[in-house]
Amino acid sequence: MPQVVSNLWFAEQAREAVEFYVSVIPDSRIGRTTILPAETPSGPPGSVELIEFELGDQAFLAMKAGPLDSFNHSFSIAILLDSQAEIDRIWDAFLANGGTPEACGWLKDRWGLSWQIVPRALSEMVADSDRERAKRVTEVMLGMVKIDLAALDRAFNG
C-alpha cells in the first residue's frame, strides 16, 4: 500500500520547527534525519537536511534546503481537536512561539506555515443536513479568530 507524505521545504530552521511541532501536538515523533552527502542545487554536500516526522497519524518530511518558495495559504495543516482546552493549549503554544493569529481558527507559525486549529465537530456541523443549522455555525465561525467551541455549539443548537 502506498504511503502519502507531505513535504515541507524550509529555508532554514527545519529542525527547530519540527521539534516545536512534535512538542505541542500529541502522539507526534521525530524519525530519521538524513544529511545529503552530495552537491545539490541547494548547496554543497551536507547543506541539505531531511527530517522525517509524524504529527498524530500523518507523515511529514521537513527539508532544510535554503530559500526557494515561501509557505502560503494554499497548503495548511489542520489539527482537529475534541475540546476547547486542547484548542486553547495548542493555539496559545503557537502564538507564544511567534505565531500570528488569523481568521476562522487559522494561524501562521513563525516559519510562515499555515495551521488550522479547529474542533473535530466543526466539519460535521457545517455539513449537517439541516442547512439552517449549518449556516448559523458557519456565520458564527466566520466572525472568530480562535475558535470558540461553546459558541459554535450554541449556534448549531439554535
Side-chain angles (χ1 to χ4, degrees):
M1 173 180 278
Q3 182 181 15
V4 176
V5 177
S6 297
N7 289 275
L8 306 173
W9 183 308
F10 291 83
E12 48 189 49
Q13 296 187 339
R15 166 71 50 190
E16 292 87 345
V18 170
E19 287 174 352
F20 172 72
Y21 301 154
V22 300
S23 76
V24 172
I25 300 168
D27 301 318
S28 300
R29 66 179 192 82
I30 297 174
R32 178 174 51 197
T33 297
T34 304
I35 306 295
L36 294 185
E39 179 95 18
T40 72
S42 296
S47 64
V48 175
E49 179 180 22
L50 307 174
I51 306 164
E52 298 172 25
F53 67 106
E54 294 177 12
L55 299 178
D57 61 356
Q58 176 69 45
F60 290 88
L61 177 76
M63 180 169 48
K64 180 192 71 117
L68 181 65
D69 293 318
S70 301
F71 293 121
N72 64 54
H73 288 97
S74 66
F75 178 84
S76 64
I77 300 173
I79 305 175
L80 307 178
L81 301 161
D82 293 318
S83 71
Q84 188 66 48
E86 290 175 301
I87 292 167
D88 293 346
R89 183 185 68 76
I90 292 175
W91 181 270
D92 294 345
F94 273 85
L95 295 185
N97 194 48
T100 305
E102 296 184 338
C104 306
W106 286 61
L107 57 79
K108 277 195 185 273
D109 68 23
R110 71 180 177 140
W111 299 279
L113 185 59
S114 293
W115 296 78
Q116 298 174 59
I117 314 300
V118 295
R120 190 179 317 273
L122 180 59
S123 62
E124 294 301 319
M125 290 178 181
V126 298
D128 193 85
S129 61
D130 181 335
R131 300 315 294 156
E132 186 54 40
R133 291 175 92 178
K135 179 182 178 189
R136 287 193 309 265
V137 167
T138 301
E139 288 173 343
V140 167
M141 182 267 307
L142 289 171
M144 294 179 177
V145 176
K146 179 174 72 173
I147 298 296
D148 178 340
L149 184 53
L152 295 179
D153 284 335
R154 284 191 301 274
F156 186 72
N157 293 314

